[in-house]
Amino acid sequence: MSKFLPGQRALLFIGSLLFSLYVLAPIAWLVSSSVQSEAEITSVPPHWVPEAPTAHNFRAIFQASDEKVTYETRKQGDTATGGFIPSTAANLLPAMKNSFIVAFAVVVLNLLVSVPAAYALAKIRFVGRTASIYFMLSTRVIPDIALVVPFFLFVQKLGLMDNLLSLVITYLAITVPFSIFILTGYFESLPDELDKAARVDGCSRLQTLLLVFLPLALPSLVAVVLFTFLTSWNEFLLALMFTQTPASQTMPIVVASFTSDFNISFSFINAAGVLAIVPPVLIAIVFERYIVSGLTAGAVKG
């Protein structure tokens, strides 16, 4: 029997519907406006359903690397027809590649560091264990803007300015503490008897981690991968500070540069935005069933 009365269920449904509209409306407008002309996208009232859908903006993105196409489109096109292409459009696909490289490297290195550290904190008792957990977690209380200058001096001393490696290093510093926190809570929720039984059977600490705990920690690992990937993919401030040329710039920086021209094509920017959200959305859809269980793992014991 439901614990909600009919009136309460109706209010719950209406509230959920309104919240869903609030969350999904910007995404729906982004997708819709990416296939509209500039005149249609700036019309009042706005058209949620395009009257004459066009893939011109997406074709322009994939053709922007052709200097002839870029020049002629910029010369003949204008913002009213949607034919205008920003001068930095040719950098979009290379920037997407850079974002993939950085995000993939950070995810792999983050797992290599955080998984053994979390296992050690959860299953090995040593002096300063609790203090270590709180110290690592306290590093995420510091706003990223306060870390820009120390990170900048560190990267400059290493000679890694305008290098993707600078982003990998700094993103690891941001993501590893929280990843360890998530995984530690999950490993602590697993019975200590599993660890003891594996040790009695002759497994080393590494074998116990790889053969016993990792298969059980899949939901938490997926949550860590998703958190790390999204953080690396969307980060803007540090990427803006440490990259100066298209060779190392990531997607958020290039998309932001589309507003630097005297003419701004909103439909083109929104088409680039659609490409930017596709990878995170696909990952979230594929691993959706693991996300909530992974993030809440270890929150309740017993």
Side-chain angles (χ1 to χ4, degrees):
M1 183 176 180
S2 176
K3 61 181 179 180
F4 294 107
L5 297 176
Q8 293 175 324
R9 288 199 297 268
L11 289 176
L12 183 62
F13 174 77
I14 294 173
S16 301
L17 181 62
L18 291 176
F19 180 76
S20 299
L21 290 174
Y22 174 78
V23 173
L24 296 177
I27 300 175
W29 173 247
L30 177 71
V31 175
S32 174
S33 58
S34 68
V35 294
Q36 296 182 22
S37 66
E38 202 67 26
E40 188 175 2
I41 196 176
T42 56
S43 63
V44 179
H47 297 165
W48 286 91
V49 179
E51 294 182 350
T54 175
H56 171 83
N57 295 308
F58 294 98
R59 286 197 302 269
I61 290 174
F62 290 100
Q63 296 176 354
S65 58
D66 188 333
E67 294 183 1
K68 180 179 179 181
V69 172
T70 303
Y71 171 76
E72 290 179 351
T73 308
R74 282 178 55 81
K75 182 179 179 181
Q76 298 174 4
D78 60 75
T79 54
T81 62
F84 178 77
I85 296 179
S87 59
T88 53
N91 301 333
L92 183 61
L93 294 182
M96 179 177 280
K97 178 182 176 182
N98 290 339
S99 291
F100 269 117
I101 293 173
V102 170
F104 180 78
V106 173
V107 167
V108 172
L109 294 175
N110 182 68
L111 290 177
L112 290 176
V113 173
S114 60
V115 170
Y119 171 72
L121 290 171
K123 297 303 179 183
I124 301 177
R125 299 296 182 262
F126 57 91
V127 177
R129 170 181 170 273
T130 303
S132 299
I133 295 175
Y134 285 113
F135 174 75
M136 283 187 295
L137 192 59
S138 67
T139 61
R140 297 309 307 129
V141 178
I142 305 173
D144 291 343
I145 188 66
L147 300 174
V148 169
V149 173
F151 277 154
F152 181 84
L153 296 176
F154 176 74
V155 170
Q156 190 178 48
K157 288 291 184 181
L158 292 178
L160 295 177
M161 293 297 295
D162 201 30
N163 191 310
L164 293 180
L165 187 57
S166 65
L167 299 182
V168 173
I169 294 173
T170 53
Y171 292 172
L172 282 173
I174 294 173
T175 58
V176 165
F178 189 66
S179 299
I180 293 176
F181 176 73
I182 294 176
L183 291 172
T184 300
Y186 192 87
F187 286 145
E188 285 182 338
S189 68
L190 299 176
D192 290 340
E193 286 73 15
L194 291 174
D195 185 68
K196 295 177 181 177
R199 299 287 290 164
V200 169
D201 288 339
C203 291
S204 65
R205 287 289 186 184
L206 181 59
Q207 289 173 324
T208 302
L209 172 61
L210 297 179
L211 301 178
V212 178
F213 285 94
L214 279 189
L216 298 174
L218 182 59
S220 190
L221 291 175
V222 170
V224 167
V225 168
L226 186 64
F227 161 75
T228 306
F229 183 88
L230 292 180
T231 300
S232 305
W233 183 266
N234 296 326
E235 204 283 324
F236 179 82
L237 179 61
L238 297 177
L240 180 65
M241 293 293 297
F242 300 149
T243 61
Q244 288 86 36
T245 64
S248 61
Q249 287 177 334
T250 54
M251 199 161 188
I253 306 303
V254 173
V255 172
S257 71
F258 292 162
T259 63
S260 62
D261 291 278
F262 290 104
N263 290 327
I264 299 176
S265 174
F266 295 106
S267 58
F268 186 88
I269 293 176
N270 289 340
V274 170
L275 292 182
I277 68 173
V278 167
V281 169
L282 289 179
I283 292 177
I285 292 174
V286 171
F287 297 110
E288 179 269 337
R289 67 193 185 100
Y290 294 107
I291 295 173
V292 174
S293 60
L295 288 174
T296 58
V300 179
K301 298 182 180 180

